[in-house]
Amino acid sequence: MRVLGIESSCDETGVAIYDSDKGLLAHQLYSQVKMHAEFGGVVPELASRDHVRKLLPLINAAFEEAGLLPESIDGVAYTAGPGLIGALMVGAATGRAIAMGWGVPAVGVHHMEGHLLAPMLEENPPEYPFVALLVSGGHTLLVDVAAPGSYRILGESLDDAAGEAFDKTAKMMGLPYPGGPLLGQLADKGRPGIFVFPRPMIDRPGMDFSFSGLKTAVRLEIAKHTVDEVVPEQTKADIALAFQTAVVETLTVKCRRALQATGHKRLVIAGGVSANRQLRARLQEMAYKEKGQLYYPRPEFCTDNGAMIAYAGYLRLQAGMKSDLSLSIRPRWSIDELESL
Ligand code: KG4
Ligand code: ZN
């Protein structure tokens, strides 16, 4: 089965073609980051308009890359939520309409299920069951994954998502949007132990997260070192490292708890923040101690992309699921509401 996948839930337009025998045949991405950077964050209306401009040309480019004609597609998958409503509508309406035109089924995919399944596109994919840590700009979730489509939320963020905490902290340091990866690079220059921030909620039982207090602690520390609106570069790097270490330690402790609570040995990390090097290294170390194994997608599939949507859509279409012609978009949608396969 060959599936066209469309991602447009936020500020990336992603298109991919997945073939169940041959794997990924094409993968095209257009990032709107530069356009939103000017405003310090995603402007939803601008995002929708840009998806409208970029989506069809990207679909064309994907077919060219794969050397295929549209009639060779067996189904279309689009992100149906969660995400920005206008942005989702562009991908959903386009995906649903071309599927109708081509006489093939279409299916709406849950964006976080896409992230969760992204490691399945790598050479040594994890077997089921596993624990998944999903850390993106909008969500922080720990999920018990029994089988594809069978998800139980073990913990989630009570306030800011991990990526959001990275972005907001980066903004306080004067880094451009989206600051997460830049903050990670700044932290590489930081000296360990100069600053120590609280590890949110690790002293409390359970697997939920909270990052807003940490953000406040960072803000106060930055204020202490600001002279004439300037913070010395080395101090910024030291604070960035202390912040990143607090987030990484918190995520690691909760992941260890999740492995112990479920008895699973495999840990999957996905979503934008899973590209963070310190997080990967620390989780690798923890998984090794727990006699487990860590899995993650290649860097380009950590952040939003069409490939993960094409793959998740393929699993659902193959199981006979399809969306009807009246589109339903779910800007808010919990992953544990999904129909299992
Ligand atoms: O999954 P994603 O592309 O979009 C959402 O679904 O939200 O995640 C984007 C988030 C942003 O907050 C970005 O700053 C963060 O992932 N991010 C990182 C890194 N790369 C991306 N955060 C920390 N370190 C990184 N290397
Ligand atoms: Zn995402």
Side-chain angles (χ1 to χ4, degrees), residues 172-189:
M172 289 186 237
M173 305 233 184
L175 297 171
Y177 176 85
L182 298 172
L183 191 79
Q185 287 166 24
L186 188 60
D188 287 342
K189 297 180 204 142

Side-chain angles (χ1 to χ4, degrees), residues 2-4 17-18 63 68-76 102 104:
R2 220 174 262 159
V3 177
L4 173 72
I17 299 171
Y18 177 79
F63 279 102
L68 290 174
L69 294 170
E71 47 266 36
S72 60
I73 291 294
D74 303 302
V76 178
W102 297 341
V104 295

Side-chain angles (χ1 to χ4, degrees), residues 12 111 115 136-138 163-164 166-167 178-181 271-273 275-276 302-304:
E12 251 106 35
H111 181 79
H115 276 304
S136 71
E164 197 178 356
F166 265 93
D167 293 340
V273 184
N276 186 275
C302 286
T303 44
D304 292 348

Side-chain angles (χ1 to χ4, degrees), residues 11 48 50 57 103 108 117 124 141 196 218-219 240 267 288:
D11 58 350
S48 312
D50 214 38
L117 294 170
N124 293 306
L141 287 172
V196 179
V218 174
R219 177 177 295 124
L267 174 64
Y288 181 76

Side-chain angles (χ1 to χ4, degrees), residues 28 34-35 40 48 52 68 71 89 104 110 120 159 165 172 179 184 187 194 198 211 235 237 253 311-312:
Q28 297 281 330
K34 273 199 195 114
M35 180 179 75
S48 312
V52 170
L68 290 174
E71 47 266 36
M89 275 163 62
V104 295
H110 191 290
M120 296 300 173
D159 39 57
M172 289 186 237
I194 304 288
F211 293 112
T235 306
V253 166
Y311 179 75

